[in-house]
């Protein structure tokens, strides 16, 4: 007998016409006239209601050879998504009675979930026997679903009993699964069950850390701190809470906990210390980060080169070069050799604070330490030399960069073009621009960008004629102006009082790029 013909409607509800463990609900019209072939053609992705699902099941179960169990699992999952839980349970029983279909652990997990969603988690527990009878092993999803269902129905005793029998999976794995699913309240309830259990079932520190970490991810620092305070002080829980407080920018509490953690018998390793340290540096809290290094040194946890480089970078960003240099010098006493990045950080800091002589001293020191300059080193020095107005030295360095076989990057070329124009060396900038275009090998995106840089620098230097000449020459180079090109020249015209010419260029831009620069149009309208 077909499943679709085994359904009847009773007072707007429906019942299983089989020995179901509890009264169930089929709530549809008669489907005896449904077109099987059409339903098969529609497939699983087009099921909209229970009628569609039942017709498709009839077709699948009568097909030879039978579809794989995966297809039946997909159909049952669809019924669950439609909230037809009792229907999914009924079809599961029908599948089990069909000798040609072998249900697997996924099938049984679906029916357990259906029982739990129907507020009959106790029947879901009974399905556990089917796993072992069929040679399957319940997984994390199985126990998580059952425990969640039992707790939802306030069946704490049953949950404790189930938990006691859970020898096939680690308790921590279940709690970890709950936390990853964002179900912290459920994980917390399960923790309570563990705490009331026998000594061998007591939760370890990693369990507390999982839940604390999840509270912090939920931005619920109050609950994380509350749970932490009821747990003995172990490094794992400290680390989880410290990381969570850092993520919530609660730096003073994180630092206080770090100091308190020093009193533990177990000390955090360099990775845990580094996490706190890096988070502090990101927020510009360099002094607090330095304190963390002091604590590390006190506890014989040796900071690595990455830690020292991060601290130096933090000081340099704040212009505190003396302190950055002290960190650099202190590395040798810790038997840590500075790497090229260490030098680059310090050189960049000196250049930005116009201490170019100090930067040059470090630059010359690099090869004597067995290290090699890289493109970043040269880029930092070049910017520093330009920043201090030492253009001839900058040009010399640029030539040296190429002589050493290092290929300048896009940023270096742009800086060179910009600074040459600003220094009045337009001819030099144009020669470099020509060389770049010949070298580019058809990379028009870079070529137009270089032209834009030169035009912008010329406009800022009040050399509009030269900028206009570059613009007019683009077509002969096979380059298409982009919005930045037009906007640069429009702005140059505006600054020189040539509003009508700026309007003409704006019109050309809108025609060529099919884009309307509303801001530029508004500025030109206001000026007229």
């Amino acid at each position: 007998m077909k499943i679709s013909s085994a359904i009847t409607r009773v007072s707007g509800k429906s019942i299983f016409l089989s020995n179901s463990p509890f009264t169930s609900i089929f709530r549809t019209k008669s489907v005896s006239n449904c077109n099987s072939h059409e339903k098969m053609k529609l497939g699983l992705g087009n099921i909209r209601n229970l009628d569609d699902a039942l017709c498709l099941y009839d077709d699948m179960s009568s097909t030879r050879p039978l579809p794989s169990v995966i297809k039946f699992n997909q159909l049952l999952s669809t019924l669950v998504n439609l909230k037809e839980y009792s229907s999914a349970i009924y079809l599961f029983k029908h599948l089990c009675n069909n000798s040609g279909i072998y249900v697997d652990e996924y099938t049984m997990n679906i029916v357990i979930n259906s029982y739990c969603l129907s507020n009959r988690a106790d029947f879901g527990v009974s399905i556990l026997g089917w796993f072992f009878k069929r040679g399957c092993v319940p997984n994390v999803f199985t126990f998580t679903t059952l425990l969640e269902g039992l707790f939802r129905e306030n069946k704490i005793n049953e949950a404790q009993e189930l938990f006691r029998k859970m020898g096939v999976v680690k308790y921590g794995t279940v709690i970890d699964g709950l936390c990853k699913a964002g179900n912290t309240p459920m994980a917390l309830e399960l923790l309570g069950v563990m705490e009331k259990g026998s000594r061998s079932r007591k939760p370890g520190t990693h369990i507390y850390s999982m839940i604390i970490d999840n509270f912090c991810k939920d931005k619920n620092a109050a609950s994380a701190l509350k749970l932490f305070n009821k747990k003995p002080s172990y490094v794992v829980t400290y680390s989880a809470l410290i990381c969570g407080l850092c993520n919530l920018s609660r730096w003073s509490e994180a630092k206080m906990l770090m100091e308190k953690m020093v009193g533990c018998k177990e000390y955090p390793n360099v990775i845990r210390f580094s996490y706190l340290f890096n988070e502090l540096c990101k927020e510009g809290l360099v002094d607090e980060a330095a304190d963390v290094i002091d604590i590390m040194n006190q506890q014989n946890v040796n900071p690595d080169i990455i830690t020292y480089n991060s601290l130096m970078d933090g000081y340099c960003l704040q212009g505190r070069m003396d302190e950055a240099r002290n960190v650099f010098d202190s590395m040798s006493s810790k038997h840590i050799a500075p790497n090229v990045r260490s030098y680059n950080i310090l050189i960049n800091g000196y250049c930005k604070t116009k201490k170019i002589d100090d930067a040059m001293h470090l630059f010359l020191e690099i090869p004597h330490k067995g290290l090699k300059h890289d493109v970043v080193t040269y880029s930092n020095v070049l910017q520093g030399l330009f920043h201090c107005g030492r253009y001839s030295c900058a040009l010399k360095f640029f030539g040296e960069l190429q002589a050493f076989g290092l290929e300048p990057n896009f940023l270096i070329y742009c800086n060179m073009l910009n600074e040459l124009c600003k220094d009045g060396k337009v001819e030099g900038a144009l020669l470099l621009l020509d060389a770049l275009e010949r070298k580019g090998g058809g990379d028009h995106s870079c070529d137009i960008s270089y032209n834009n840089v030169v035009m912008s620098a010329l406009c800022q230097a009040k050399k509009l004629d030269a900028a206009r000449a570059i613009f007019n020459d683009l077509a002969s180079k096979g380059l298409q102006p982009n919005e930045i090109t037009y906007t640069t020249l429009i702005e140059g015209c505006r600054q020189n009082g040539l509003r009508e010419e700026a309007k003409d260029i704006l019109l050309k831009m809108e025609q060529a790029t099919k884009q309307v620069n509303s801001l530029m149009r508004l500025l030109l309208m206001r000026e007229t």
Side-chain angles (χ1 to χ4, degrees), residues 79-147:
L79 284 170
V80 174
N81 291 334
L82 291 171
K83 298 184 179 181
E84 297 287 354
Y85 310 127
S86 55
S87 303
I89 295 166
Y90 181 69
L91 292 188
F92 167 77
K93 289 185 173 292
H94 191 269
L95 280 173
C96 292
N97 292 327
N98 189 325
S99 59
I101 301 174
Y102 181 81
V103 299
D104 58 13
E105 61 269 26
Y106 297 102
T107 326
M108 289 181 279
N109 279 336
I110 292 169
V111 76
I112 284 175
N113 190 34
S114 298
Y115 274 126
C116 290
L117 291 171
S118 303
N119 294 320
R120 293 310 307 260
D122 50 346
F123 285 120
V125 173
S126 67
I127 300 296
L128 282 176
W130 292 51
F131 276 87
F132 304 110
K133 191 184 299 183
R134 293 176 179 266
C136 300
V137 179
N139 56 24
V140 175
F141 180 82
T142 312
F143 286 106
T144 300
T145 303
L146 285 171
L147 288 168

Side-chain angles (χ1 to χ4, degrees), residues 431-452:
L431 286 172
L432 177 58
L433 177 63
D434 182 61
L436 287 172
E437 289 173 341
R438 282 187 280 104
K439 182 182 178 181
D443 189 351
H444 296 313
S445 62
C446 282
D447 288 344
I448 195 63
S449 295
Y450 291 138
N451 279 273
N452 290 344

Side-chain angles (χ1 to χ4, degrees), residues 14-35:
S14 58
I15 60 171
F16 286 157
L17 299 184
S18 67
N19 55 343
S20 171
F22 66 94
T23 302
S24 273
I25 314 355
F26 276 121
R27 51 154 190 77
T28 62
K29 63 180 182 180
S30 172
V31 292
S32 56
N33 295 324
C34 64
N35 189 319

Side-chain angles (χ1 to χ4, degrees), residues 146-334:
L146 285 171
L147 288 168
E148 188 172 357
L150 290 169
F151 278 119
R152 189 190 300 119
E153 296 174 42
N154 202 31
K155 294 177 178 177
I156 307 301
N157 292 334
E158 290 88 340
Q160 290 175 327
E161 179 62 20
L162 173 65
F163 197 66
R164 186 182 64 79
K165 295 178 179 178
M166 280 170 48
V168 291
V169 292
K170 294 180 178 179
Y171 310 135
T173 308
V174 176
I175 288 183
D176 184 48
L178 288 168
C179 288
K180 287 178 178 176
N183 196 342
T184 313
M186 172 66 184
L188 195 60
E189 286 196 60
L190 190 53
L191 176 67
V193 173
M194 292 180 70
E195 290 174 330
K196 294 175 184 177
S198 63
R199 189 171 184 179
S200 62
R201 312 282 183 180
K202 293 290 185 184
T205 54
H206 66 290
I207 300 291
Y208 286 91
S209 295
M210 285 180 197
I211 301 175
I212 286 172
D213 182 59
N214 217 56
F215 273 132
C216 291
K217 287 177 180 176
D218 292 340
K219 299 184 178 180
N220 189 353
S223 296
L225 286 165
K226 182 179 178 182
L227 180 58
F228 172 80
N229 289 331
K230 69 180 284 190
K231 180 75 190 80
S233 302
Y234 287 109
V235 63
V236 181
T237 46
Y238 269 112
S239 299
L241 186 54
I242 287 170
C243 293
L245 291 172
C246 284
N247 289 332
L248 296 173
S249 300
R250 296 174 67 157
W251 308 111
S252 59
E253 292 166 291
K255 184 183 174 184
M256 179 188 67
L257 280 174
M258 177 65 79
E259 292 170 348
K260 188 176 178 182
M261 183 168 56
V262 174
C264 296
K265 294 179 181 179
E266 255 185 284
Y267 298 108
N269 59 23
V270 67
I271 296 174
R272 294 189 180 110
F273 268 121
S274 296
Y275 183 89
L276 173 60
F277 173 84
N278 290 331
E279 290 299 315
L280 290 169
C281 284
K282 284 179 189 176
E283 295 296 319
L285 301 172
V286 187
D287 293 324
E288 288 80 355
D291 290 342
V292 172
I293 287 189
D294 289 339
I295 295 172
M296 293 172 74
N297 288 326
Q298 291 168 18
Q299 302 306 323
N300 296 319
V301 178
N302 297 320
D304 55 17
I305 184 68
I306 298 173
T307 308
Y308 281 110
N309 283 346
S310 297
L311 184 58
M312 272 199 306
D313 197 30
Y315 280 130
C316 288
L317 289 172
Q318 295 184 4
R320 299 162 64 177
M321 296 309 303
D322 290 340
E323 289 153 298
R325 184 60 196 243
N326 287 338
V327 174
F328 182 86
D329 293 336
S330 71
M331 282 194 273
S332 58
S333 66
K334 304 295 181 184

